[in-house]
Amino acid sequence: MRIDKLLANIGYGSRKEVKSLLKSGAVKVDGAPVKDAKQHVNPGEQEVTVYNEEVVYREFIYLMLHKPQGLISATEDVSQPTVVDLLEPEDAVFEPFPVGRLDKDTEGLLLLTNDGKLSHQLLSPKKHVPKTYLAHINSEVTEEDVEAFKNGVTLDDGYVTKPGVLEIIESGETSVIHLTITEGKFHQVKRMFESVGKKVIYLKRLSMGELKLDEELELGQYRELTDEEVALLKGE
C-alpha cells in the first residue's frame, strides 16, 4: 500500500497534509525516513512510525449505529443527509458503508463497515441471516396474522415471503409486535403487514444475526463492535 494512502486511512490528514508530513521527515519505515508519497509499504511486516510513534494499521472498521429517523442508509446523497454524515472524521476515513438498508423513517440497528466480504455474507439470500424488528401497528394484530406470517404472505407484487416469526407483545387499537425475518425485500416489514390489511406506524430494528442493538446507544450514536461481536457476525 502507498505510504500516503496508509497514513490518510489511519487519520493523519488529507493526502495533501500527509505529503507535507512526509516532506518534513517525520515518517519512517523500519527506522529510515520516507519522503516519497508513492513509496509502497507492507504495514503487516514493516514498522511505520510518525514522530517516532509506531503506526498501528487496521484494514477494516466495524461500527454499530443506532440509526435515527430522517437519514438515508447510503454513503452519499445529492439532497438528503445520510447515516455516514454522523461519523467522526477518524472513522469516516475508513470509508465504511451501511450493510443493507433501513428506510428513512426506520430506527435501530445499522452496521457500517468497509469489510465487503462480511457485508456480502450478511446480505446473501443463501445465508438466511435473521433480522428482528419492533413495530407498532395501527390496529389489532391477531393469531391469524401470526399463522399467516409463519406460512409466508403474498406482497403487492406477487412475491411470497419466506416464513416470518411474529410475536405479539401488546394487541389492541394499536399493537406492539416483534417480527423476525430472514430476507430484506424493499419495505418488507411494512408490505407484509399491508398484505393482511394493517399499517406499520413505527419501526425499529433490534438485531441482525447474533448482533443486538446496544440499548445504551442513544439515537444517532454509534460505537465500534467488540472483537466478540465481530466474531459472532462472522460465525466464528
Side-chain angles (χ1 to χ4, degrees), residues 63 65-77 80-88 92 96-104 106-113 220-222:
L63 304 172
L65 169 68
H66 190 171
K67 178 191 174 297
Q69 294 184 20
L71 297 178
I72 293 177
S73 297
T75 53
E76 58 183 354
D77 188 88
Q80 301 183 73
T82 74
V83 291
V84 172
D85 294 331
L86 295 173
L87 302 184
E88 296 294 332
F97 51 84
V99 177
R101 62 192 304 278
L102 289 180
D103 297 336
K104 185 178 178 180
T106 299
E107 299 176 358
L109 173 66
L110 187 63
L111 174 67
L112 293 99
T113 183
Q221 289 186 333
Y222 70 93

Side-chain angles (χ1 to χ4, degrees), residues 85-222:
D85 294 331
L86 295 173
L87 302 184
E88 296 294 332
E90 60 264 31
D91 298 315
V93 294
F94 286 91
E95 299 182 350
F97 51 84
V99 177
R101 62 192 304 278
L102 289 180
D103 297 336
K104 185 178 178 180
D105 61 354
T106 299
E107 299 176 358
L109 173 66
L110 187 63
L111 174 67
L112 293 99
T113 183
N114 56 352
D115 186 342
K117 183 178 178 181
L118 177 62
S119 175
H120 177 74
Q121 180 179 320
L122 292 172
L123 298 177
S124 171
K126 297 177 182 177
K127 297 289 184 179
H128 305 299
V129 175
K131 294 171 280 288
T132 299
Y133 296 83
L134 165 72
H136 295 180
I137 311 301
N138 72 339
S139 57
E140 184 179 3
V141 177
T142 66
E143 289 301 324
E144 285 80 8
D145 298 325
V146 172
E147 195 64 25
F149 280 37
K150 187 165 75 173
N151 294 321
V153 294
T154 304
L155 302 184
D156 48 13
D157 59 359
Y159 177 79
V160 179
T161 68
K162 289 185 170 63
V165 179
L166 175 59
E167 179 188 359
I168 301 172
I169 310 299
E170 296 175 23
S171 185
E173 287 186 17
T174 300
S175 298
V176 180
I177 62 92
H178 284 167
L179 176 62
T180 301
I181 56 177
T182 58
E183 37 186 4
K185 300 293 180 184
F186 184 66
H187 293 323
Q188 179 158 343
V189 175
K190 296 173 184 175
R191 292 164 69 201
M192 287 179 76
F193 277 97
E194 286 169 4
S195 76
V196 293
K198 297 175 172 67
K199 185 177 180 182
V200 173
I201 53 178
Y202 172 79
L203 188 60
K204 177 179 182 176
R205 183 156 67 192
L206 303 177
S207 64
M208 184 176 191
E210 296 294 323
L211 183 66
K212 292 179 172 57
L213 177 65
D214 184 342
E215 292 294 346
E216 291 188 7
L217 287 176
E218 300 286 341
L219 280 169
Q221 289 186 333
Y222 70 93

